[in-house]
Every structure is written in C-alpha cells, then in structure tokens.
Amino acid sequence: MADPKGFLNHGREVAKTRPVEERVKDWNEVYVPGSLLPIISKQASRCMDCGIPFCHNGCPLGNLIPEWNDYAYREDWQAAQERLHATNNFPEFTGRLCPAPCESACVLGINQPPVTIKNVEVSIIDKAWETGDVAPQIPERLSGKTVAVIGSGPAGLAAAQQLTRAGHTVAVYERADRVGGLLRYGIPEFKMEKRHINRRIEQMRAEGTRFRTGVEIGRDLKAGDLRKRYDAVVIAAGATTARDLPVPGRELQGIYQAMEYLPLANKVQEGDYVTAPISAEGKHVVVIGGGDTGADCVGTAHRQGAASVTQLEIMPRPGEERDAVRQPWPTFPMLYKVTSAHEEGGERVYAVSTTHFEGDEDGNVQWLHMSEVEFVDGKLTPKPGTERKIPAQLVTLAMGFTGTDRENGLVDQFGLELDARGNIARDADFQTNVPGVFVAGDAGRGQSLIVWAIAEGRSAARGADSFLTGASELPAPIRPTDRALAV
C-alpha cells in the first residue's frame, strides 16, 4: 500500500490549466507543462489499495491501478510504467482523453473526491518517455503469418501492436493521409498534441508494423483482394456514420458535421493549410450536441476567433453530484461537466430542440430556430410558446454516430453480418461470420470510449492470434458482450 494515511492527509489535486486568455491564442495542450510531477506522488498516496479495487471494474482494460499508484508514490517510475503497459498499449492517449470511469468506481469516491487516477497515469507515461523507458518490443521470431488491420484508431493500433509482438507480419490500412484515425483528426491539438501519436507510430514501426495510408478498403482496394494477400484481417474501421438533423433548412451552406469541421482545424496544425477552409472566425457559432465532440467544436471555435459560441443539448442539464439512487457508485454517472473548452467561454443551453434553420438570399445559414422540450409520457416534446431564434452563421452537428461506413463497400464486399444495432456481428473470439475476419472497436461495439476501443483491439488480437496459430498467450481483457457498469 502506498501510504496508509494518504487519503486522510491529502486532498484531491488535479492538473493545472494555463490561463484562458493565454491558451485560446494557441493550439498547445491546455495544461501547464510539468505541473503534475511535484504533486503526483502525494496524489498516488491517496490510493487505499482496496481489498476489492472497483477501479478495475470501472476500466475495461483491467488496469493494475493500485499497483502503479504504489510505484508512483515511491517514485519508482520504471516499475510503474511496466505495470501500466502490462494492460494498456497507449496510456498517454487514455491519460489525456479518457473520461476516467475508473475514477467513478474508485472506493475512496464513495465519500471523498476519488484518486486522480488519470493524472497519475499520464504522469507515469510522460516520465517514461522522458527517461527513455519506452522502447520497441521486437518479437524474437516471426510466425510466417500475415495480418491486415483496417483502421488506425486506438482499436486498430492496439490490435496491430499486439499481433506484431506475437510475431505476425502486420500491415495497417488507413484511408486518411496520416495514421491515427479520430485520434489524429477528430481530437483537437489542445486536448492531445499529435506528437504523442507520432512517437507511438515510430515505436510500432521499429517493432515491425507496417502502415499503408491513403488506402480505403472497399474503394481503393477490394475486400476480396485483401483477403487473398493476408492470412487474417482485423476490421477496426470505427463507427463513422454521423447522426444527421433532418429539419427544414439543413441544406443551407454553413451547416457541417463535426467531423467535417474538426479535421480541417487539425490539418492546419499539421501544416496542410494556412487557415482552415471551414473557420469560425468572426461568426456566430452554434454547436448542436452536448458531448465531448461538441466540446471539441466549442474549443476549436474559440481559437479560430468566433464572435459567439452557443452549445445546444436536447436533454435536461445533469446534476453536479451523483444521484445515489439513480446513478449509484460504482457506475459511471452522467454529471454536469465543465471541460477546458467550456471554461473558455460561450453559452450552454439545455432541454432545447432545433426546429429549423433560416438563411439569407445567398443560401447561407443565418439563424437557428429552436424550442424548449420536456418529457411527456416518456417522450421529449416541444413546449408551446418557447420558440425563439439565435444567430447562427456556422453550425456544427455533434450528435454522435450511428454505425460503421456502409458506402465504401467494405461490409458488403466481405459479406459481413450485422447485429440488431447495425454494428458488425462477431462471436466470442471477435470473429465475424467470415472465417479469419475479426472486428474490434466501434465497428463492432458501436460508438464508445477510447479505453473500450483499446480493450477491444487487445481482445480481437488474441482471437486472431489463436486463429492463426491454434492457441494464444495474448491477453483478452473483455468479451464482445461486456458493457460498462450501469444500473
């Protein structure tokens, strides 16, 4: 145990953020560099080393949290990163982007603020990179088997790294021009600088993983041809079909899906553009959708110099504290969350629904009309007399995703079966109805969190490894049917 009295002697401290007026002028990460290490040992000491650590259940990766908390408390960074990497291929991604269901399940959190697990995690891995402890793990021998991984998001990268380390020859196919999937183009730089992706990719290349960018399976390369080249295939193409808003005026110019808007801002940071082709500069911006993707749009609009930013959410505003009856510990509660983007300004409006858009004579959106909604007989219904309009010269739709891409032909060319939710169906080993073809991540699970994607990639890798060799020693942290802790 780290410190038997740690949780009694120390309160919760989180990473410090840079002043708003400073950070909105650049695209660097919002946190003060180096601010965690001076406090992280004390924060790690708050871990109680529970007899039954529910943080393990909150995290689908099964992270050995009490163990690396203990090592962090003792400042044994080498041992800490080894325990961290034992269950997680990319802790620098999850430590920055995951909403930390492990913290919601922390036993200390029953009656105190929980341990800052996420901050401890990112401190350990950043220290490991700094000291050179993150090295390529090159397999001792090759199996002679080949695997194609479709998609280079967290699920695809995790599957590829596991299979490469098992001795297989792995090629990752990515339809974008750079590796990383939504990590690269969906997550703004101020949440995670892309240098973190780049150095992992270099590690994977050194281990033997090959990357093929700008190749879309189904269009540029047919599924049948891919199957002929490889002994197994892992599909980790994500759930990229965005939910739309079919209301009058949707066809007006200036209304975009979030994943049309965000990637262009990231491409500016990559040096592809001087200014984003879709920019919020000087415009009244409305973001429809109250989740993390919506918050990413808010923060991006601030940095582009928007005149105003308004975020709309159809559901009522959540409470600021856990409801012990409806959302009991250790489930992941839906709470009112103020992200770094919300700290930077803008207005958040809850329990409203867009009725239609209004444009100018040139077909550009100018106004968004909305009304308040309430639950009537279990359904969200407009409240009469609450209609109003707000200026909207740029609208981003951040309402989630409905499933994997069907237009490129990947699903049909492989002959894949879908489940009732429209996701690619798989068996207990993550194998589809087509022998040798596996699926991991959002393509099989539906839209989910980064920790679930990595866990799926690791588990699908075990299924593929077993298919190729008859047995596998790779870990499988979850089953396809596993779900987050819920009431």
Side-chain angles (χ1 to χ4, degrees), residues 135-164:
Q137 297 181 28
I138 301 171
E140 294 181 358
R141 62 181 64 86
L142 297 179
S143 67
K145 302 293 185 179
T146 57
V147 185
V149 176
I150 304 173
S152 66
L157 292 179
Q161 187 167 61
Q162 293 294 95
L163 288 166
T164 297

mmCIF file of all heavy atoms in Angstrom, residues 135-164:
data_model
loop_
_atom_site.group_PDB
_atom_site.id
_atom_site.type_symbol
_atom_site.label_atom_id
_atom_site.label_comp_id
_atom_site.label_asym_id
_atom_site.label_seq_id
_atom_site.Cartn_x
_atom_site.Cartn_y
_atom_site.Cartn_z
ATOM 1 N N ALA A 135 10.554 1.538 -25.052
ATOM 2 C CA ALA A 135 11.388 1.034 -26.144
ATOM 3 C C ALA A 135 10.595 0.067 -27.011
ATOM 4 O O ALA A 135 9.607 -0.531 -26.558
ATOM 5 C CB ALA A 135 12.621 0.326 -25.579
ATOM 6 N N PRO A 136 10.976 -0.102 -28.266
ATOM 7 C CA PRO A 136 10.309 -1.093 -29.116
ATOM 8 C C PRO A 136 10.457 -2.500 -28.534
ATOM 9 O O PRO A 136 11.513 -2.848 -28.002
ATOM 10 C CB PRO A 136 11.050 -0.971 -30.449
ATOM 11 C CG PRO A 136 11.686 0.384 -30.416
ATOM 12 C CD PRO A 136 12.012 0.650 -28.979
ATOM 13 N N GLN A 137 9.397 -3.289 -28.638
ATOM 14 C CA GLN A 137 9.440 -4.681 -28.204
ATOM 15 C C GLN A 137 9.400 -5.566 -29.455
ATOM 16 O O GLN A 137 8.334 -5.919 -29.947
ATOM 17 C CB GLN A 137 8.262 -4.984 -27.274
ATOM 18 C CG GLN A 137 8.289 -4.179 -25.982
ATOM 19 C CD GLN A 137 7.134 -4.516 -25.064
ATOM 20 O OE1 GLN A 137 6.613 -5.641 -25.085
ATOM 21 N NE2 GLN A 137 6.712 -3.554 -24.267
ATOM 22 N N ILE A 138 10.563 -5.864 -29.964
ATOM 23 C CA ILE A 138 10.668 -6.597 -31.222
ATOM 24 C C ILE A 138 10.504 -8.085 -30.956
ATOM 25 O O ILE A 138 11.144 -8.639 -30.051
ATOM 26 C CB ILE A 138 12.033 -6.309 -31.873
ATOM 27 C CG1 ILE A 138 12.162 -4.800 -32.127
ATOM 28 C CG2 ILE A 138 12.201 -7.094 -33.169
ATOM 29 C CD1 ILE A 138 13.538 -4.374 -32.573
ATOM 30 N N PRO A 139 9.645 -8.773 -31.711
ATOM 31 C CA PRO A 139 9.442 -10.208 -31.463
ATOM 32 C C PRO A 139 10.709 -11.016 -31.716
ATOM 33 O O PRO A 139 11.511 -10.685 -32.602
ATOM 34 C CB PRO A 139 8.334 -10.576 -32.465
ATOM 35 C CG PRO A 139 8.387 -9.519 -33.511
ATOM 36 C CD PRO A 139 8.816 -8.271 -32.822
ATOM 37 N N GLU A 140 10.883 -12.058 -30.928
ATOM 38 C CA GLU A 140 12.085 -12.892 -31.055
ATOM 39 C C GLU A 140 12.084 -13.702 -32.342
ATOM 40 O O GLU A 140 13.134 -13.979 -32.911
ATOM 41 C CB GLU A 140 12.189 -13.833 -29.849
ATOM 42 C CG GLU A 140 12.429 -13.104 -28.529
ATOM 43 C CD GLU A 140 12.552 -14.071 -27.364
ATOM 44 O OE1 GLU A 140 12.411 -15.298 -27.589
ATOM 45 O OE2 GLU A 140 12.801 -13.605 -26.231
ATOM 46 N N ARG A 141 10.899 -14.103 -32.795
ATOM 47 C CA ARG A 141 10.813 -14.873 -34.040
ATOM 48 C C ARG A 141 9.503 -14.528 -34.744
ATOM 49 O O ARG A 141 8.534 -14.097 -34.111
ATOM 50 C CB ARG A 141 10.881 -16.371 -33.760
ATOM 51 C CG ARG A 141 9.753 -16.888 -32.899
ATOM 52 C CD ARG A 141 9.895 -18.379 -32.630
ATOM 53 N NE ARG A 141 11.093 -18.657 -31.856
ATOM 54 C CZ ARG A 141 11.140 -18.599 -30.530
ATOM 55 N NH1 ARG A 141 10.064 -18.260 -29.836
ATOM 56 N NH2 ARG A 141 12.251 -18.892 -29.878
ATOM 57 N N LEU A 142 9.477 -14.702 -36.039
ATOM 58 C CA LEU A 142 8.287 -14.428 -36.834
ATOM 59 C C LEU A 142 7.513 -15.715 -37.079
ATOM 60 O O LEU A 142 8.090 -16.793 -37.217
ATOM 61 C CB LEU A 142 8.676 -13.787 -38.165
ATOM 62 C CG LEU A 142 9.360 -12.409 -38.077
ATOM 63 C CD1 LEU A 142 9.699 -11.907 -39.469
ATOM 64 C CD2 LEU A 142 8.482 -11.421 -37.340
ATOM 65 N N SER A 143 6.208 -15.576 -37.135
ATOM 66 C CA SER A 143 5.335 -16.744 -37.295
ATOM 67 C C SER A 143 5.169 -17.158 -38.745
ATOM 68 O O SER A 143 4.751 -18.289 -39.029
ATOM 69 C CB SER A 143 3.947 -16.429 -36.718
ATOM 70 O OG SER A 143 3.297 -15.430 -37.509
ATOM 71 N N GLY A 144 5.477 -16.237 -39.666
ATOM 72 C CA GLY A 144 5.215 -16.526 -41.068
ATOM 73 C C GLY A 144 3.802 -16.205 -41.491
ATOM 74 O O GLY A 144 3.443 -16.369 -42.661
ATOM 75 N N LYS A 145 2.980 -15.740 -40.557
ATOM 76 C CA LYS A 145 1.587 -15.378 -40.839
ATOM 77 C C LYS A 145 1.474 -13.869 -41.049
ATOM 78 O O LYS A 145 2.218 -13.080 -40.461
ATOM 79 C CB LYS A 145 0.680 -15.799 -39.695
ATOM 80 C CG LYS A 145 0.716 -17.291 -39.377
ATOM 81 C CD LYS A 145 0.117 -18.111 -40.504
ATOM 82 C CE LYS A 145 0.040 -19.593 -40.116
ATOM 83 N NZ LYS A 145 -0.560 -20.424 -41.196
ATOM 84 N N THR A 146 0.497 -13.490 -41.879
ATOM 85 C CA THR A 146 0.288 -12.073 -42.186
ATOM 86 C C THR A 146 -1.108 -11.633 -41.769
ATOM 87 O O THR A 146 -2.072 -12.403 -41.880
ATOM 88 C CB THR A 146 0.475 -11.806 -43.683
ATOM 89 O OG1 THR A 146 -0.433 -12.632 -44.419
ATOM 90 C CG2 THR A 146 1.904 -12.108 -44.119
ATOM 91 N N VAL A 147 -1.208 -10.399 -41.303
ATOM 92 C CA VAL A 147 -2.479 -9.845 -40.839
ATOM 93 C C VAL A 147 -2.643 -8.436 -41.395
ATOM 94 O O VAL A 147 -1.704 -7.633 -41.351
ATOM 95 C CB VAL A 147 -2.570 -9.786 -39.304
ATOM 96 C CG1 VAL A 147 -3.959 -9.310 -38.866
ATOM 97 C CG2 VAL A 147 -2.248 -11.132 -38.675
ATOM 98 N N ALA A 148 -3.840 -8.142 -41.885
ATOM 99 C CA ALA A 148 -4.195 -6.783 -42.286
ATOM 100 C C ALA A 148 -5.117 -6.198 -41.228
ATOM 101 O O ALA A 148 -6.081 -6.851 -40.809
ATOM 102 C CB ALA A 148 -4.888 -6.779 -43.639
ATOM 103 N N VAL A 149 -4.834 -5.000 -40.786
ATOM 104 C CA VAL A 149 -5.692 -4.274 -39.853
ATOM 105 C C VAL A 149 -6.274 -3.084 -40.598
ATOM 106 O O VAL A 149 -5.520 -2.269 -41.152
ATOM 107 C CB VAL A 149 -4.922 -3.814 -38.606
ATOM 108 C CG1 VAL A 149 -5.818 -2.970 -37.705
ATOM 109 C CG2 VAL A 149 -4.369 -5.004 -37.845
ATOM 110 N N ILE A 150 -7.590 -2.979 -40.611
ATOM 111 C CA ILE A 150 -8.257 -1.892 -41.324
ATOM 112 C C ILE A 150 -8.653 -0.819 -40.318
ATOM 113 O O ILE A 150 -9.530 -1.025 -39.484
ATOM 114 C CB ILE A 150 -9.503 -2.403 -42.077
ATOM 115 C CG1 ILE A 150 -9.123 -3.531 -43.035
ATOM 116 C CG2 ILE A 150 -10.189 -1.261 -42.830
ATOM 117 C CD1 ILE A 150 -10.311 -4.206 -43.691
ATOM 118 N N GLY A 151 -7.968 0.316 -40.374
ATOM 119 C CA GLY A 151 -8.255 1.411 -39.455
ATOM 120 C C GLY A 151 -7.130 1.601 -38.466
ATOM 121 O O GLY A 151 -6.616 0.631 -37.889
ATOM 122 N N SER A 152 -6.730 2.870 -38.258
ATOM 123 C CA SER A 152 -5.594 3.143 -37.371
ATOM 124 C C SER A 152 -5.988 3.988 -36.174
ATOM 125 O O SER A 152 -5.186 4.761 -35.660
ATOM 126 C CB SER A 152 -4.469 3.840 -38.151
ATOM 127 O OG SER A 152 -4.862 5.134 -38.579
ATOM 128 N N GLY A 153 -7.234 3.840 -35.727
ATOM 129 C CA GLY A 153 -7.638 4.443 -34.466
ATOM 130 C C GLY A 153 -7.104 3.619 -33.312
ATOM 131 O O GLY A 153 -6.296 2.694 -33.503
ATOM 132 N N PRO A 154 -7.528 3.897 -32.086
ATOM 133 C CA PRO A 154 -6.979 3.173 -30.925
ATOM 134 C C PRO A 154 -7.204 1.669 -30.972
ATOM 135 O O PRO A 154 -6.335 0.901 -30.550
ATOM 136 C CB PRO A 154 -7.690 3.820 -29.736
ATOM 137 C CG PRO A 154 -8.867 4.554 -30.306
ATOM 138 C CD PRO A 154 -8.474 4.948 -31.689
ATOM 139 N N ALA A 155 -8.355 1.213 -31.497
ATOM 140 C CA ALA A 155 -8.604 -0.226 -31.584
ATOM 141 C C ALA A 155 -7.666 -0.879 -32.586
ATOM 142 O O ALA A 155 -7.055 -1.920 -32.315
ATOM 143 C CB ALA A 155 -10.061 -0.496 -31.959
ATOM 144 N N GLY A 156 -7.532 -0.270 -33.767
ATOM 145 C CA GLY A 156 -6.662 -0.828 -34.791
ATOM 146 C C GLY A 156 -5.206 -0.826 -34.385
ATOM 147 O O GLY A 156 -4.481 -1.807 -34.609
ATOM 148 N N LEU A 157 -4.760 0.262 -33.770
ATOM 149 C CA LEU A 157 -3.367 0.339 -33.341
ATOM 150 C C LEU A 157 -3.066 -0.683 -32.251
ATOM 151 O O LEU A 157 -1.997 -1.314 -32.251
ATOM 152 C CB LEU A 157 -3.044 1.747 -32.849
ATOM 153 C CG LEU A 157 -3.031 2.859 -33.906
ATOM 154 C CD1 LEU A 157 -2.720 4.200 -33.249
ATOM 155 C CD2 LEU A 157 -2.019 2.563 -35.011
ATOM 156 N N ALA A 158 -3.995 -0.854 -31.297
ATOM 157 C CA ALA A 158 -3.783 -1.831 -30.229
ATOM 158 C C ALA A 158 -3.710 -3.239 -30.792
ATOM 159 O O ALA A 158 -2.834 -4.035 -30.419
ATOM 160 C CB ALA A 158 -4.893 -1.722 -29.186
ATOM 161 N N ALA A 159 -4.643 -3.572 -31.701
ATOM 162 C CA ALA A 159 -4.619 -4.905 -32.304
ATOM 163 C C ALA A 159 -3.334 -5.124 -33.085
ATOM 164 O O ALA A 159 -2.711 -6.192 -32.999
ATOM 165 C CB ALA A 159 -5.835 -5.077 -33.220
ATOM 166 N N ALA A 160 -2.925 -4.115 -33.845
ATOM 167 C CA ALA A 160 -1.720 -4.244 -34.662
ATOM 168 C C ALA A 160 -0.481 -4.436 -33.795
ATOM 169 O O ALA A 160 0.382 -5.277 -34.096
ATOM 170 C CB ALA A 160 -1.566 -3.006 -35.542
ATOM 171 N N GLN A 161 -0.371 -3.673 -32.715
ATOM 172 C CA GLN A 161 0.821 -3.799 -31.874
ATOM 173 C C GLN A 161 0.874 -5.164 -31.195
ATOM 174 O O GLN A 161 1.938 -5.791 -31.130
ATOM 175 C CB GLN A 161 0.858 -2.686 -30.834
ATOM 176 C CG GLN A 161 2.166 -2.672 -30.041
ATOM 177 C CD GLN A 161 2.360 -1.416 -29.230
ATOM 178 O OE1 GLN A 161 1.562 -1.119 -28.341
ATOM 179 N NE2 GLN A 161 3.421 -0.673 -29.519
ATOM 180 N N GLN A 162 -0.263 -5.630 -30.713
ATOM 181 C CA GLN A 162 -0.285 -6.941 -30.059
ATOM 182 C C GLN A 162 0.087 -8.056 -31.032
ATOM 183 O O GLN A 162 0.863 -8.961 -30.702
ATOM 184 C CB GLN A 162 -1.673 -7.200 -29.464
ATOM 185 C CG GLN A 162 -2.067 -6.288 -28.310
ATOM 186 C CD GLN A 162 -1.208 -6.502 -27.086
ATOM 187 O OE1 GLN A 162 -0.212 -5.800 -26.878
ATOM 188 N NE2 GLN A 162 -1.568 -7.482 -26.274
ATOM 189 N N LEU A 163 -0.462 -8.007 -32.232
ATOM 190 C CA LEU A 163 -0.201 -9.064 -33.212
ATOM 191 C C LEU A 163 1.231 -9.008 -33.732
ATOM 192 O O LEU A 163 1.843 -10.048 -33.995
ATOM 193 C CB LEU A 163 -1.203 -8.945 -34.365
ATOM 194 C CG LEU A 163 -2.635 -9.353 -34.004
ATOM 195 C CD1 LEU A 163 -3.624 -8.902 -35.063
ATOM 196 C CD2 LEU A 163 -2.734 -10.862 -33.795
ATOM 197 N N THR A 164 1.768 -7.793 -33.870
ATOM 198 C CA THR A 164 3.175 -7.674 -34.279
ATOM 199 C C THR A 164 4.084 -8.274 -33.226
ATOM 200 O O THR A 164 5.029 -9.023 -33.542
ATOM 201 C CB THR A 164 3.534 -6.193 -34.498
ATOM 202 O OG1 THR A 164 2.743 -5.665 -35.561
ATOM 203 C CG2 THR A 164 5.010 -6.049 -34.849
#
